[in-house]
Amino acid sequence: MNILVFDQAGQLAGALARRVIEAILARPDLVLGLPTGRTPQLLYAELGTLTCETRTDWSAVRTFNLDEFVGLDGRDPESYRQYMERQLFAGVRVTPHHVGFLDGKASDLEEECDRYERAIASAGGIDLMILGIGVNGHIGFNEPAPGLQARTHRVALCPETRAANAALFDGDLSRVPTEGLSMGMATILRSRTIVLLATGEEKAAAMTAMLEGPITTAVPASFLQLHPDVTLMLDRGARTSPR
Ligand code: PGA
């Protein structure tokens, strides 16, 4: 894996935003995989600014978000869909039907997961997948477990993941859904290029486990070791010494 360490999270966000804009300029119909969470917020703000400055056209870009809560409608303010509207889509003009999202309120959630796999495949697969990482080593909602499901699937959320999301629900843990829909690790690993972002000391242990530990379902991020084109973009807090 390539490892890039930045002094400040803002520098990291700026560097990745430039890389994304360059990728769109080189390939206007780029297919992006996108995360939610606190970590990518600076990146999304930076993308809004750079898009404006460079007049980059996002109209042919397609996006697929990693995950969504079960039970929330894409119009719910707490949904990841609405997070993306606020954080990114308000600042860059992605054509609405080019935005790929899991529907946590679909009547048949298994069919919804299958639909998502088909949608990613018919877009030609994901060119650039941007990931965050949970303190427990999760990727998307692929939580540590005795076994992982390869494809997009329904999953029970770990207590620490629900706690990390409470801020979206006015800090009220009881309102955080207990289940999510998520791309599987195989879905993610089929992406051509992967960039993982991690900032802050609270991510350092997960980075060590991912880089230095065995490939194990107890650390879903460790499966990224199998991919030929992964770049880790870290700030000093999350930095760890690779083997
Ligand atoms: P965070 O979430 O960016 O809010 O830390 C990352 C994740 O859980 O994947």
Side-chain angles (χ1 to χ4, degrees):
M1 294 192 200
N2 305 313
I3 303 177
L4 304 175
V5 181
F6 296 81
D7 284 333
Q8 306 285 339
Q11 294 167 342
L12 185 165
L16 181 54
R18 285 191 293 280
R19 181 168 172 178
V20 171
I21 295 291
E22 280 163 16
I24 295 171
L25 294 175
R27 181 168 178 182
D29 61 350
L30 189 75
V31 183
L32 277 172
L34 297 172
T36 49
R38 286 173 299 268
T39 315
Q41 288 181 2
L42 283 174
L43 166 69
Y44 293 151
E46 199 64 41
L47 277 173
T49 306
L50 261 187
T51 295
C52 217
E53 282 172 16
T54 57
R55 302 186 185 201
T56 302
D57 179 5
W58 287 64
S59 62
V61 171
R62 283 160 298 170
T63 68
F64 289 95
N65 263 79
L66 276 168
D67 46 14
E68 180 59 286
F69 294 109
V70 165
L72 293 195
D73 187 282
R75 287 162 300 195
D76 280 319
E78 296 89 356
S79 66
Y80 281 163
R81 180 74 180 78
Q82 287 302 313
Y83 163 104
M84 290 304 297
E85 289 297 328
R86 292 189 298 270
Q87 300 292 334
L88 181 65
F89 300 141
V92 305
R93 288 205 194 142
V94 179
T95 305
H97 72 267
H98 287 174
V99 174
F101 237 95
L102 282 154
D103 176 2
K105 241 187 162 166
S107 55
D108 182 340
L109 292 173
E110 278 188 21
E111 165 51 27
E112 174 60 8
C113 293
D114 290 347
R115 177 197 69 79
Y116 209 54
E117 290 285 333
R118 290 194 300 271
I120 294 170
S122 73
I126 293 170
D127 295 310
L128 175 57
M129 179 88 228
I130 299 171
L131 300 173
I133 182 170
V135 288
N136 63 2
H138 78 196
I139 296 285
F141 282 150
N142 293 282
E143 300 280 31
L148 294 176
Q149 290 192 47
R151 301 295 196 95
T152 301
H153 60 286
R154 180 176 185 170
V155 61
L157 303 180
C158 287
E160 54 266 48
T161 299
R162 294 185 63 236
N165 278 280
L168 273 174
F169 297 83
D170 296 326
D172 183 353
L173 188 57
S174 69
R175 291 180 53 223
V176 182
T178 55
E179 291 182 296
L181 300 179
S182 180
M183 286 186 198
M185 286 310 299
T187 321
I188 293 164
L189 288 169
R190 277 198 303 272
S191 309
R192 288 176 192 93
T193 297
I194 295 176
V195 175
L196 182 140
L197 306 178
T199 56
E201 287 172 13
E202 72 272 18
K203 299 290 170 67
M207 295 312 300
T208 304
M210 176 186 125
L211 282 164
E212 299 181 14
I215 295 172
T216 167
T217 61
V219 183
S222 64
F223 281 80
L224 297 176
Q225 294 179 31
L226 296 170
H227 193 281
D229 186 2
V230 177
T231 300
L232 307 182
M233 297 180 80
L234 314 176
D235 72 353
R236 294 213 172 272
R239 184 183 188 180
T240 182
S241 316
R243 227 182 342 197

